[in-house]
Amino acid sequence: MNHPDFIPTQSRLAGKVAIVSGSTQGLGADIARGLVAAGARVMTLGLGAQAGESIARELGEAAAFIETDITDDTQIDRAIAVTLERFGRLDLLINNACTYADSGLASTREQWMHLLNVNLISAAIFTQKAAPFLPRGGVIVNLGSTGGKFGTAGRALYPASKAALQQFTRNLAVTLAPDGIRAVTVSPAWTWSPSMEQLANGSIETADRVGAAVHPLGRVGRGHEIAQVVAFLCSAEASWITGVDIPVDGGFSILGPDQGVSPRDWFSRLG
């Protein structure tokens, strides 16, 4: 499968098998595409059989799909078992599935419990269940977010879950290091996705124009840019990287509240 957005590195992950949760659309689907482009075989997981099967057909014989609710331990067990049966091994776990629903300070206990269950707890349980099958050289990539690093008015649940996932990853890296298994987070900033497409009324040009104010590289990210970093981190080329967060954010995280503009320039705007 040749995809025009991906650098041809078909041998980077040759022989490796990955599970990617939440890969029926958006960033998860792009990560699955990136891993296949790098030579891996991929089990895609998510809700929505039609979308999941469509992605698997697109990726060809190197991929398969199993509809999976990651908040159900039995379904996690089944996904791992089907992956081992289909591909014979498991080397890489990409915990990408998440929900963005967030009512901030007004969130109920039930909303807190649901979001943390999807974004944090299910990733932890999936890791717990998958880790015994990972060989030396296995890799776990948890999808973080710049949202887990900075304060944002009106939000609470999603940022808290992503901050906690980064801490979980640090602990995981130390725990699994003796087994030769690495764990990292990848934190995108604003990335073109179904949710951003909705905000921008389907216009990537609008998204880029708005995103230019908070990303030094002047636009929002593309899914394949995140996917290529995930593929690199899963490869032997990244064998000395573990327990850290890799920001793939167009420079978002290097800016302070001044947005990279000097006081002289801010005062000049007063006229």
Side-chain angles (χ1 to χ4, degrees):
M1 191 280 296
N2 293 317
H3 193 285
D5 289 330
F6 294 105
I7 298 168
T9 53
Q10 286 86 353
S11 63
R12 174 176 276 171
L13 297 177
K16 304 293 186 181
V17 173
I19 288 177
V20 184
S21 69
S23 50
T24 59
Q25 64 173 350
L27 180 56
D30 282 329
I31 289 172
R33 293 182 181 108
L35 295 177
V36 169
R41 292 171 291 169
V42 177
M43 182 64 73
T44 60
L45 309 183
L47 299 175
Q50 184 174 355
E53 290 166 0
S54 176
I55 294 295
R57 282 195 301 272
E58 173 195 332
L59 297 177
E61 294 183 359
F65 168 74
I66 178 169
E67 189 167 20
T68 306
D69 178 354
I70 60 170
T71 66
D72 184 330
D73 289 6
T74 301
Q75 293 191 41
I76 291 176
D77 288 332
R78 183 185 63 174
I80 293 171
V82 170
T83 301
L84 294 171
E85 180 180 356
R86 174 67 181 266
F87 296 122
R89 59 185 295 155
L90 176 60
D91 303 276
L92 314 169
L93 174 63
I94 317 300
N95 286 309
N96 168 76
C98 73
T99 176
Y100 298 94
D102 192 336
S103 299
L105 189 60
S107 301
T108 65
R109 180 179 296 274
E110 289 73 21
Q111 289 171 324
W112 270 102
M113 296 297 288
H114 173 68
L115 185 137
L116 291 175
N117 194 17
V118 174
N119 291 13
L120 174 64
I121 298 169
S122 292
I125 297 300
F126 214 132
T127 300
Q128 176 200 75
K129 290 177 174 293
F133 298 99
L134 297 179
R136 296 190 72 84
V139 183
I140 299 159
V141 179
N142 294 321
L143 266 293
S145 171
T146 53
K149 303 177 182 180
F150 308 102
T152 304
R155 305 193 81 192
L157 283 65
Y158 178 82
S161 73
K162 292 302 184 179
L165 194 61
Q166 288 192 30
Q167 181 59 47
F168 170 68
T169 303
R170 288 188 281 266
N171 296 343
L172 185 64
V174 178
T175 301
L176 296 180
D179 298 320
I181 297 170
R182 298 185 291 111
V184 294
T185 57
V186 170
S187 290
W190 300 8
T191 304
W192 184 248
S193 62
S195 58
M196 181 155 290
E197 186 174 356
Q198 185 177 13
L199 289 171
N201 294 318
S203 170
I204 196 168
E205 291 80 12
T206 297
D208 282 342
R209 187 165 60 252
V210 175
V214 293
H215 301 81
L217 290 183
R219 59 174 174 82
V220 301
R222 308 303 195 251
H224 72 270
E225 294 176 307
I226 312 326
Q228 288 172 167
V229 174
V230 171
F232 162 72
L233 290 169
C234 286
S235 74
E237 297 167 83
S239 59
W240 198 233
I241 299 174
T242 195
V244 296
D245 175 70
I246 307 297
V248 190
D249 63 9
F252 183 102
S253 58
I254 65 174
L255 294 182
D258 61 7
Q259 296 181 353
V261 179
S262 72
R264 183 184 302 277
D265 290 332
W266 279 105
F267 278 94
S268 71
R269 296 181 185 186
L270 296 176

